[in-house]
Amino acid sequence: MRCLAELKRAFSTRAHQLGFTHVGITPAHPVPHFDAFERWIRAGHHADMHYLARQDTLAKRADPSLVLEGCQRVICLAMPYTPPQSSLTAISPGFGRVSAYARPADYHQVIQNKLVELENLICSLADGAVKIKSYVDTGPVLERAFAIQAGLGMVGKNSNLIIPGEGTYFFLAVMLTDLELPVDAPFTHDLCGSCQRCIEACPTSCILPDRTIDARRCISYLTIENKGVIPDALKSQVGNWLFGCDICQMVCPHNIRAQTQPNMLGEPLLPEQMNLTDILNWDEDDFKSATQNTALNRPKQRGLVRNAIVVLGNQAQATALPLLRDHLDKEAHPMVLDALYWAIDQIERNQTDDARSNG
């Protein structure tokens, strides 16, 4: 086996060539901030993402050797994606916003393919049996906690990893290995200070004092992972967001100062704003065609329709009423019906208020 320091240099060089702009390595033990994660779970802040609270996955997050036998190191990698290109107020009636991360090809597959190449590189350079397991936002690993320990950056108040001088528009990936590679120094500086911009800008007040998120109130959760009804008290706070939310990142000073990131996932497959009428008129084949190879298929067709209806309700355009009423006549799913009744009521109330103010 060649020198581990030399192997690390070769690995980092190739990782950068593949588009990972930041690479760091940290010991697999002790697991950083697991107690904070447990508190977050006990408080119910994971909402209906029950897979996070399963005992088997909790045990694995607490001990990487349960994920990869003999695990000694966690390699942390960050790949940038293109930030939002228009301001928060730049929205056309009848259109809904799509979170910037979801516009290119689905990052899971793109990045996983690159990790496979890096796994093969390590195995070839090690000249012996090596254990490696890689994840892109899919495994029982506390990615952000390890990324701090690997020196990549610090978690901000909005729970996103801030990379100094670069901001937060990054995908994170991890590689577990039994190789005792040289480690990097942890990041120890607070990058937020007294800044409260993300907290003040969040429409649903989901950002918690301990730099975690109450997913039950987060627009990204409500429009993506949530498979049920969006609570009435939060529907109006969803605003124009059809899929995900970038508000806390868009107001972050680190992103305002950050330079434009290279586009490593290819050109966007989705526009920044999508026509809501089109979405309501899609059949199953239309949905599959429009969302193919993107993260937009995550909430399934009904979830995306629900979101589109909520956005139409928030925009309160009278021109949307015929479409919504027509959809009401042929819809049977309780989740979508709930959104329809709410949106129609919002628009009718707005019409009544306008009539009174003009009377």
Side-chain angles (χ1 to χ4, degrees):
M1 180 181 295
R2 69 171 64 195
C3 168
L4 289 174
E6 183 181 344
L7 191 156
K8 178 182 176 180
R9 285 192 296 271
F11 172 89
S12 296
T13 297
R14 185 57 184 147
H16 282 96
Q17 291 170 347
L18 289 173
F20 295 103
T21 54
H22 297 79
V23 180
I25 301 175
T26 186
H29 301 278
V31 174
H33 306 307
F34 180 73
D35 55 341
F37 180 77
E38 279 190 308
R39 289 195 299 270
W40 184 75
I41 292 291
R42 287 197 299 270
H45 292 148
H46 60 300
D48 288 334
M49 295 180 285
H50 301 301
Y51 60 90
L52 293 174
R54 290 201 326 257
Q55 288 304 308
D56 60 327
T57 59
L58 282 173
K60 289 175 180 177
R61 282 186 170 85
D63 183 2
S65 64
L66 296 178
V67 181
L68 179 76
E69 185 180 0
C71 183
Q72 295 296 322
R73 297 289 186 264
V74 179
I75 305 171
C76 300
L77 307 102
M79 178 176 290
Y81 62 90
T82 303
Q85 299 300 293
S86 62
S87 69
L88 284 169
T89 56
I91 188 75
S92 302
F95 286 76
R97 290 195 71 128
V98 175
S99 181
Y101 89 87
R103 296 184 61 213
D106 190 342
Y107 68 95
H108 294 96
Q109 190 58 56
V110 175
I111 295 178
Q112 188 62 52
N113 290 340
K114 295 176 185 291
L115 294 179
V116 169
E117 180 174 337
L118 291 174
E119 288 181 3
N120 293 335
L121 175 66
I122 288 178
C123 291
S124 65
L125 293 177
D127 298 327
V130 178
K131 293 179 182 177
I132 309 175
K133 197 170 187 65
S134 302
Y135 291 111
V136 189
D137 193 30
T138 55
V141 184
L142 299 181
E143 296 99 334
R144 283 169 296 178
F146 279 116
I148 297 170
Q149 294 305 113
L152 269 64
M154 177 63 71
V155 168
K157 291 179 181 177
N158 64 358
S159 86
N160 286 306
L161 186 79
I162 302 172
I163 297 180
E166 305 288 349
T168 65
Y169 294 110
F170 287 89
F171 297 117
L172 294 180
V174 293
M175 301 177 71
L176 311 182
T177 181
D178 62 346
L179 282 178
E180 296 191 45
L181 296 166
V183 300
D184 296 288
F187 195 93
T188 57
H189 304 298
D190 180 11
L191 296 172
C192 292
S194 60
C195 180
Q196 299 280 315
R197 292 189 192 182
C198 60
I199 296 171
E200 294 166 354
C202 178
T204 63
S205 301
C206 74
I207 300 175
L208 302 173
D210 62 352
R211 305 195 180 203
T212 64
I213 298 292
D214 184 348
R216 297 169 297 187
R217 302 183 60 82
C218 177
I219 295 173
S220 285
Y221 168 79
L222 292 170
T223 59
I224 302 175
E225 299 298 330
N226 172 34
K227 301 301 186 287
V229 168
I230 297 176
D232 284 351
L234 296 174
K235 284 188 177 80
S236 61
Q237 306 306 313
V238 169
N240 294 307
W241 290 99
L242 171 68
F243 182 94
C245 178
D246 290 327
I247 293 175
C248 67
Q249 296 192 87
M250 294 174 76
V251 301
C252 177
H254 292 280
N255 285 326
I256 294 171
R257 293 196 297 262
Q259 297 179 353
T260 301
Q261 302 285 15
N263 189 350
M264 303 310 302
L265 275 73
E267 292 303 312
L269 301 179
L270 298 171
E272 198 162 49
Q273 299 181 23
M274 296 189 68
N275 188 301
L276 303 174
T277 298
D278 288 347
I279 292 171
L280 263 64
N281 288 328
W282 281 346
D283 59 22
E284 187 174 345
D285 289 339
D286 293 329
F287 171 77
K288 289 179 179 178
S289 175
T291 64
Q292 186 177 19
N293 298 323
T294 74
L296 204 67
N297 60 18
R298 180 74 177 172
K300 309 300 182 185
Q301 184 177 1
R302 281 200 180 100
L304 201 63
V305 168
R306 172 202 60 195
N307 299 345
I309 293 168
V310 169
V311 173
L312 286 170
N314 284 326
Q315 294 178 354
Q317 297 289 313
T319 52
L321 274 177
L323 173 66
L324 293 173
R325 287 169 177 159
D326 179 65
H327 212 71
L328 185 63
D329 291 337
K330 55 189 178 184
E331 182 57 58
H333 196 280
M335 175 182 72
V336 181
L337 284 171
D338 170 83
L340 282 166
Y341 285 125
W342 179 87
I344 291 170
D345 182 64
Q346 290 295 109
I347 298 173
E348 290 177 341
R349 284 172 181 267
N350 185 66
Q351 286 183 304
T352 300
D353 291 343
D354 287 346
R356 286 173 179 169
S357 62
N358 294 328

